[in-house]
């Protein structure tokens, strides 16, 4: 089905274009929540000055697929020599990167141009089945073409939306990201960078952005640096100078052979243009709002980012191992007598690295424990997987995980997981492991109890649904709810000790309730849908 509509925003004289055709249409409310983890925000990617910008973006988005699986899109900027003007090409759709771009001619023939941005979506505001919410958003306004991809959540979106609507702005999507485009379009400043700066001065909360203009790629990050955003470079020998790339995580750089240059700093607006390529110096601006210190999302290290990525200037693998080591130090599991064999298994895949840290440290501390592969995860249970009538959580967990019974039977089993959210999945996992007849089960978690929602881009369930709240933080009661012989969470001081810089620059609000940026009106993600 072709969806190509141009919506005229009369008051602001901008054209909000939802362009491209959708290779797959359907509602995506039935998300794969089998793992019972919070869903995160989005993945963003941008590239400037590369002859195959769209293909590079495709690979970048593929590497960032774990950050959002609901929808994806790529916008390219193409200079039409014969018409002496710029054109933005767009292709967006619901589904995984490989599905939406399965026709190679889309990348090779439709998405022409040497600069591109891309976005993988998991919605945190804006309903997932509203097709207009698929990013990157594109506008054509008085300053030219502009496309935007956003990772994070704006905490003053409700106030902004009411204000902008009362002034005549027509919102096309229900996503908070659209407000940034309206603010840019309404700016009275001359020059896009000043218009963008004015828009970012008006928004609060979490944003890592890639913005494509006719002649530049702009990367920007909120003053707190909640979400990661890295800068890289692709060396080129084609006489055109190097290409620059920005991405949520550096795993996207590895796939396309880009080298890591550094972080886009909190509060920075970094401009990558022809001038920067030629001089080797990129122009850097800053939003006016300042934070005394960054507040990076510590949950990116615990669960969300890939272990082969470097975020916030540190390797995720290194931090995750340290989380496991400190957990073993704080809450060891000792063999129960001379004949007892303690095995440690991870809940794959996000807990694999921390489990290595747990085992190494346990052995160092004198406990003879052994790493085992006791849980096997199916990687092929996707959004389109047809559930039989027995559509219970127990069955869903079984479609995703199975036990290696010979490994578990008769053993003292330590299960290492990165977090417990509702507790329902953990409970089913424990049941599954219990069926394999272990001697005992000891659950170890590499983060403190989650007791508060996130307003900065991670989709947690309500407070009432969080198991740590249901039992008011009573670990014994949570242990009996899960059906384990013992349960231990990593303490807050140890979690912070595992992070770079002693954890001084991190947001811990979902554990502590201390929110670094106030939220004007907490809303559900589909609150603005009619
Ligand atoms: Fe990350 Fe939790 Fe802070 Fe959200 S509240 S940004 S998930 S640490």
């Amino acid at each position: 089905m072709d969806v190509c509509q141009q919506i005229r925003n009369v008051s602001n004289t901008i054209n909000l274009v939802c362009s491209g055709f959708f290779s797959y249409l359907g509602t995506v409310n039935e998300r794969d929540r089998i793992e019972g983890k919070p869903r995160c925000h989005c993945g963003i990617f941008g590239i400037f000055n590369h002859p195959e910008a769209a293909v590079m973006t495709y690979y970048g988005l593929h590497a960032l697929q774990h950050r959002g699986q609901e929808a994806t899109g790529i916008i390219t900027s193409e200079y039409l020599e014969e018409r002496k003007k710029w054109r933005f090409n767009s292709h967006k759709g619901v589904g995984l990167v490989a599905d939406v771009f399965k026709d190679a001619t889309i990348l090779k023939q439709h998405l022409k141009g040497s600069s591109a941005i891309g976005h993988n979506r998991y919605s945190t505001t804006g309903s997932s089945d509203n097709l207009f919410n698929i990013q990157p958003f594109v506008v054509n306004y008085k300053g030219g073409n502009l496309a935007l991809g956003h990772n994070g959540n704006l905490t003053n979106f409700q106030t902004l939306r009411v204000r902008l609507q009362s002034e005549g702005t027509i919102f096309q999507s229900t996503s908070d990201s659209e407000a940034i485009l309206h603010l840019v379009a309404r700016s009275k400043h001359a020059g896009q960078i000043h218009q963008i700066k004015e828009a970012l001065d008006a928004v609060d909360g979490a944003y890592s952005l890639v913005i494509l203009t006719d002649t530049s790629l702009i990367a920007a990050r909120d003053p707190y640096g909640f979400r990661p955003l890295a800068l890289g470079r692709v060396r080129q020998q084609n006489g055109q100078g190097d290409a620059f790339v920005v991405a949520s995580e550096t795993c996207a750089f590895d796939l396309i052979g880009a080298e890591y240059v550094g972080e886009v700093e909190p509060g920075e607006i970094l401009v990558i243009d022809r001038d920067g390529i030629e001089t080797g110096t990129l122009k850097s601006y800053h939003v006016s709002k300042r934070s005394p210190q960054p507040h990076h999302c510590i949950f990116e290290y615990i669960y969300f980012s890939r272990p082969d990525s470097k975020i916030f200037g540190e390797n995720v693998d290194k931090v995750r191992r340290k989380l496991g080591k400190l957990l073993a130090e704080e809450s060891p599991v000792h063999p129960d007598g001379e004949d007892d064999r303690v095995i440690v298994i991870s809940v794959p895949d996000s807990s694999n690295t921390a489990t290595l840290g747990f085992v190494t440290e346990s052995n160092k501390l004198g406990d003879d424990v052994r790493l085992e592969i006791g849980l096997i995860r199916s990687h092929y249970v996707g959004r389109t997987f047809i559930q039989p009538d027995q559509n219970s959580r127990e069955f869903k967990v079984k479609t995703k995980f199975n036990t290696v019974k010979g490994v578990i039977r008769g053993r003292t089993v330590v299960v290492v997981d990165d977090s417990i959210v509702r507790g329902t999945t953990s409970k089913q996992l424990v049941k599954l492991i219990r069926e394999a007849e272990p001697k005992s089960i000891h659950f170890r978690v590499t983060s403190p109890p989650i007791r508060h929602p996130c307003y900065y881009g991670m989709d947690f369930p309500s407070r009432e649904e969080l198991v740590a709240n249901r039992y008011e933080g009573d670990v014994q009661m949570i242990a009996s709810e899960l059906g384990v012989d013992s349960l231990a969470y990593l303490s807050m001081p140890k979690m912070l000790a595992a992070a770079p810089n002693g954890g001084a620059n991190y947001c811990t609000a979902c554990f502590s309730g201390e929110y670094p940026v106030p939220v004007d009106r907490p809303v559900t993600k589909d609150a603005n849908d009619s």
Side-chain angles (χ1 to χ4, degrees), residues 47-53 56 114 233-245 256-259 274 277:
I47 186 160
F48 187 84
N49 191 39
H50 195 286
E52 290 193 277
M56 293 296 114
S114 59
R233 181 202 300 259
V234 183
R235 301 275 179 196
Q236 296 187 125
Q237 308 296 333
N238 57 3
Q240 294 297 311
D242 294 340
F244 279 93
V245 287
I256 61 166
E259 61 192 53
R274 195 69 238 163
I277 302 282

Side-chain angles (χ1 to χ4, degrees), residues 376-395:
I376 304 298
R377 176 185 157 164
S378 166
H379 291 264
Y380 306 105
V381 184
R383 182 167 45 78
T384 54
F385 186 72
I386 298 163
Q387 303 285 348
D389 292 343
Q390 189 192 359
N391 199 16
S392 64
R393 179 158 286 275
E394 180 184 353
F395 190 79

Side-chain angles (χ1 to χ4, degrees), residues 42-48 52-64 73-75 116-120 136 149-151 208-212 217 229-230 234 244-256 258:
C42 308
I44 55 175
F45 183 91
I47 186 160
F48 187 84
E52 290 193 277
V55 175
M56 293 296 114
T57 306
Y58 167 79
Y59 286 126
L61 292 178
H62 176 73
L64 298 172
I74 296 176
I75 309 292
I117 61 170
H119 187 270
N120 282 340
H150 172 204
N151 174 199
S208 281
L209 302 173
V210 282
I211 300 172
L212 191 64
L217 168 65
L229 193 60
V234 183
F244 279 93
V245 287
V246 284
S248 298
E249 295 180 36
T250 59
C251 61
F253 295 168
D254 299 337
L255 189 55
I256 61 166

